[in-house]
Amino acid sequence: MKKKMLLLNTTVLLGLGGVLSTPAYASTIQDMESQKSQIQNQRQDVQSNIKAASDELTSLQAEQDQMKAQLERLTIAEEENNKKAQKTEADIKETSKQVEQLEKEIKLLQEKLEKRNDILKDRARSLQESGGNVEYLQVLLGSSSFSDFVDRALAVSTIVDADRGILKETKNMQDELKTKQADVKSKLASLEDMKAELDEMTVQLAAQKKQKDALAKELKDKEAKNEELKASLQAKDSSLANEQSTLEQNIKDQKAAEEAARKAAEQAAKEAAKKAAEQAQKAAAAPAEKADSSSAKAEAPKASSNDVAPTSAPAPKASNVVTVGNRWIGNSAYVFGGGRSQSDISRGLFDCSSFVHWAYSQVGVNLGPLGSVSTETLKHAGTQVSSSQMQPGDLVFFDTYKKDGHVGIYVGGGKFIGAQSSTGVAIANMSSGYWKQKFNGRVVRI
């Protein structure tokens, strides 16, 4: 009887084991889990590309913002320089009128002097005929020009008072007009030089603005392509996410079906075991002993932690006059007469001398009042040294639109930093090309 009962129990357990094994379910879930893993890997790659595209867009946006700020500076610089050019043209016209008026006055004066010359010559003849002063006659008759005649006549001590008065008045008027004419012509030449520089600068700024506009367009096109790529990647990621979600739901449904089948099998096994036990009890007419054993395992949770030590950025290195201006490279524009107010400095608007003044002020050196700084004041601000002894930090001068018309700070290696009309603050090569031709050898050590 006991053998029969053992055989029955074994049969029931084997049947239960066969039901619970469900190899078809396991194979289907395994395939879906594998597909899910592949999709997750694909999503990781796509999301990594999305992040790279987002980072690139952020970088492009920052670059574009910087470019827009520079374009705004160039626009301001161009407007200011155009205003100064217009003012200079107006000053040139006014000065030209003054010169023209003076030339008319000089011409009238010369006509008057010629008449006086005739009068004095007549007086000289009269003196000669009447046996007058020989020294006076020699002066009057031996002069090579009317101007020479006036100078000679004034030197004669025996000249009559009437003639001396006329000559002195004529001489004073002549000297005054010559002085005014020289001053006005000098001013006119300076204004013409200034206008030439402003015209050249306006052309250079226009070319630079055109270049910046082209670069801004390139950045915008690149940004659009990156946005398109990002959108495509996001669409792919969304599609993969839907696939993953569908698989996860299928896996969940499959596991639920498996669990339901398992419970049904368990229930059927229990009922079969119960019926078998009852039949065995009736057959054996003896109580059956049933032993169940169970074991439980518990795993202690594992915990891991990763501690990352905080990092600190290195302390900034102190700048000097050679490098302090680097912050304005690509972030400044040249304005003739600019950089003499905090507003201009804050916007990066300099001319050559105001930039040098600002750079030295950053390292604690005062080069005089900011409002009146110029290349003329700077070339007398320190000690003149030979160009063969030039070292970083020295001021270097160039003959551009005038003598010593441009100044910069030598940085070494045949280069200098300064506010250039074509680029704003930039490092330029003075050992070849344009700046080599313009360098006049003047070096000032502060």
Side-chain angles (χ1 to χ4, degrees), residues 370-443:
L370 176 60
S372 58
V373 66
S374 66
T375 54
E376 287 298 312
T377 64
L378 290 176
K379 74 181 185 183
H380 300 297
T383 304
Q384 304 276 336
V385 297
S386 170
S387 60
S388 63
Q389 298 175 335
M390 189 163 49
Q391 63 186 32
D394 290 344
L395 303 188
V396 287
F397 290 79
F398 305 84
D399 293 343
T400 52
Y401 73 101
K402 67 173 184 177
K403 179 73 175 174
D404 298 315
H406 189 70
V407 63
I409 302 171
Y410 187 64
V411 300
K415 297 180 179 180
F416 74 99
I417 187 171
Q420 274 65 269
S421 61
S422 60
T423 60
V425 176
I427 294 175
N429 190 347
M430 58 182 289
S431 60
S432 64
Y434 176 82
W435 292 111
K436 180 180 180 180
Q437 296 174 2
K438 296 298 182 180
F439 178 53
N440 61 18
R442 186 188 299 279
V443 179

Side-chain angles (χ1 to χ4, degrees), residues 64-80 205 208-209 212-213 216 330-335 347-349:
Q64 197 173 43
D65 290 344
Q66 183 179 4
M67 189 62 63
K68 287 178 180 176
Q70 179 66 357
L71 287 172
E72 288 176 3
R73 274 188 290 270
L74 288 171
T75 300
I76 293 171
E78 190 174 17
E79 290 174 354
E80 290 297 320
L205 285 171
Q208 187 181 32
K209 187 176 183 299
K212 296 291 183 183
D213 286 340
N331 298 304
S332 60
Y334 185 97
V335 173
R347 293 180 294 171
L349 305 178

Side-chain angles (χ1 to χ4, degrees), residues 286-350:
E289 295 179 358
K290 185 178 181 182
D292 295 329
S293 63
S294 62
S295 61
K297 293 181 181 180
E299 286 187 13
K302 294 181 180 180
S304 63
S305 64
N306 295 319
D307 295 330
V308 180
T311 59
S312 58
K317 191 175 181 180
S319 296
N320 56 38
V321 73
V322 174
T323 59
V324 72
N326 289 351
R327 60 172 288 197
W328 294 115
I329 295 176
N331 298 304
S332 60
Y334 185 97
V335 173
F336 193 85
R340 286 164 178 77
S341 68
Q342 190 55 50
S343 174
D344 277 0
I345 293 172
S346 299
R347 293 180 294 171
L349 305 178
F350 296 98

Side-chain angles (χ1 to χ4, degrees), residues 207-274:
Q208 187 181 32
K209 187 176 183 299
K210 184 178 180 180
Q211 180 183 8
K212 296 291 183 183
D213 286 340
L215 184 55
K217 183 180 183 301
E218 181 183 345
L219 285 171
K220 188 175 181 180
D221 292 343
K222 192 174 181 180
E223 183 181 26
K225 289 180 181 179
N226 218 313
E227 283 282 12
E228 184 179 348
L229 173 62
K230 183 179 175 182
S232 174
L233 290 169
Q234 287 173 334
K236 185 175 181 180
D237 182 61
S238 177
S239 176
L240 289 171
N242 290 335
E243 272 189 68
Q244 180 179 333
S245 178
T246 300
L247 275 172
E248 287 173 349
Q249 185 60 46
N250 290 343
I251 292 171
K252 182 178 178 182
D253 294 343
Q254 193 67 37
K255 286 183 176 180
E258 180 183 338
E259 181 66 15
R262 187 185 66 79
K263 287 181 178 180
E266 277 186 354
Q267 185 63 33
K270 285 180 181 179
E271 291 176 358
K274 183 178 178 182

Side-chain angles (χ1 to χ4, degrees), residues 11 44 141 167 185 198 248 317 369:
T11 302
Q44 286 179 355
L141 300 176
L167 289 169
K185 286 186 176 180
L198 285 168
E248 287 173 349
K317 191 175 181 180

